[in-house]
Amino acid sequence: MKYYHRTYSRDPFWTDAHFRSVCKCGQVINKGDRIFYYPATKTTLCPKCSEQASREFAAAVQDEDFYNAQYTK
């Protein structure tokens, strides 16, 4: 599991579930499960969905960093 630096307060991040909930795929998330959390929408993803969402977000961050690096020289 790779961690990345959160740039903005509304960026999603890895955390432990504080209470039982349900993922958008219908899977139950138990208290203490490692989840990917989107604070802007207050969405939690189960461990299975979290892996893919984390990879997609990390790729988007990398793309944005590459794009912005062109204009900081």
Side-chain angles (χ1 to χ4, degrees), residues 21-36:
S21 60
V22 178
C23 179
K24 66 179 184 177
C25 72
Q27 171 112 8
V28 173
I29 300 170
N30 293 310
K31 182 178 179 180
D33 285 352
R34 194 80 177 141
I35 59 169
F36 202 56

Side-chain angles (χ1 to χ4, degrees), residues 2-72:
K2 185 175 181 179
Y3 294 91
Y4 49 86
H5 183 279
R6 287 180 59 207
T7 304
Y8 303 105
S9 64
R10 300 182 92 186
D11 283 353
F13 58 93
W14 284 97
T15 188
D16 293 327
H18 296 275
F19 50 86
R20 188 179 169 138
S21 60
V22 178
C23 179
K24 66 179 184 177
C25 72
Q27 171 112 8
V28 173
I29 300 170
N30 293 310
K31 182 178 179 180
D33 285 352
R34 194 80 177 141
I35 59 169
F36 202 56
Y37 177 68
Y38 287 85
T41 58
K42 298 182 180 177
T43 303
T44 58
L45 299 177
C46 68
K48 182 179 174 186
C49 294
S50 292
E51 290 296 327
Q52 181 63 30
S54 176
R55 283 192 297 270
E56 289 172 1
F57 183 74
V61 167
Q62 187 176 14
D63 290 346
E64 185 176 355
D65 288 345
F66 177 77
Y67 177 80
N68 289 334
Q70 297 176 42
Y71 299 102
T72 59

